[in-house]
Amino acid sequence: MKIAIPLNKDLTLYNDNPYTAPKFAVYFIEGSKTNVSFKMLKILDNPRYIEVSDGVEEIQKKCACDVERQVDMQHICEHYSILETIGSCSYLLAVKYCHNTYKTLKNGGVKVFKIPSIIKKTETAIKNFLIRTSFANRIQSIHDAS
């Protein structure tokens, strides 16, 4: 399985909307239930970031676009650049993301996996993803025990 993680210019975990990330790291994960390994395959430039190299609007970074912008066709189409970049991945791991990023990736078959904001390293983000998805896949029933 391949996953993507948004990166800053200094190749550390990017905590804002992945649509505005400078780069993406693509990792390959393989193994069994008892032995899982992952390795970085490549680092990709985000073409949308390069287009607006002087910076991205703060409102987009913080996932705070107003309702009008969220339904604007040009704005929605701009989000498809992220799908063109990481569309071969099964998951995108992200601290936060906007509705249009989520919708675009979902339409392209990429699941967005939210990682806690306290995570600062890509390796920790991957391990968190592996542990949480493994645990979630084993649960058959959740109920209130009180």
Side-chain angles (χ1 to χ4, degrees):
M1 154 180 36
K2 288 197 299 189
I3 62 167
I5 299 177
L7 300 176
N8 287 311
K9 289 180 188 178
D10 60 356
L11 305 182
T12 59
L13 185 64
Y14 186 75
N15 288 321
D16 289 322
N17 189 354
Y19 164 70
T20 64
K23 299 182 179 294
F24 292 96
V26 176
Y27 286 83
F28 183 69
I29 299 173
E30 65 182 343
S32 64
K33 290 182 180 182
T34 58
N35 186 21
V36 177
S37 64
F38 59 91
K39 67 178 177 178
M40 186 182 344
L41 295 177
K42 55 190 163 187
I43 294 178
L44 303 169
D45 290 325
N46 180 354
R48 179 66 186 151
Y49 184 83
I50 292 169
E51 276 180 29
V52 290
S53 59
D54 288 337
V56 179
E57 291 180 52
E58 198 62 31
I59 198 168
Q60 290 179 317
K61 283 183 173 181
K62 301 300 178 198
C63 307
C65 292
D66 59 24
V67 175
E68 185 177 308
R69 190 172 199 163
Q70 289 179 26
V71 296
D72 177 64
M73 190 53 69
Q74 180 177 347
H75 184 67
I76 291 170
C77 289
E78 289 171 351
H79 283 71
Y80 277 90
S81 65
I82 191 174
L83 186 58
E84 290 175 18
T85 305
I86 64 164
S88 66
C89 296
S90 301
Y91 289 90
L92 168 70
L93 280 53
V95 172
K96 65 177 112 173
Y97 46 89
C98 69
H99 173 73
N100 285 340
T101 297
Y102 172 80
K103 190 174 169 184
T104 298
L105 291 174
K106 181 180 176 188
N107 288 343
V110 178
K111 296 176 185 170
V112 181
F113 184 87
K114 186 167 178 60
I115 56 175
S117 60
I118 60 168
I119 293 177
K120 304 298 180 203
K121 296 181 178 182
T122 55
E123 182 177 324
T124 307
I126 294 168
K127 289 177 180 178
N128 177 271
F129 165 74
L130 292 170
I131 290 168
R132 287 175 51 202
T133 55
S134 173
F135 182 71
N137 287 335
R138 290 192 314 246
I139 295 175
Q140 294 179 4
S141 174
I142 299 175
H143 62 280
D144 185 353
S146 58

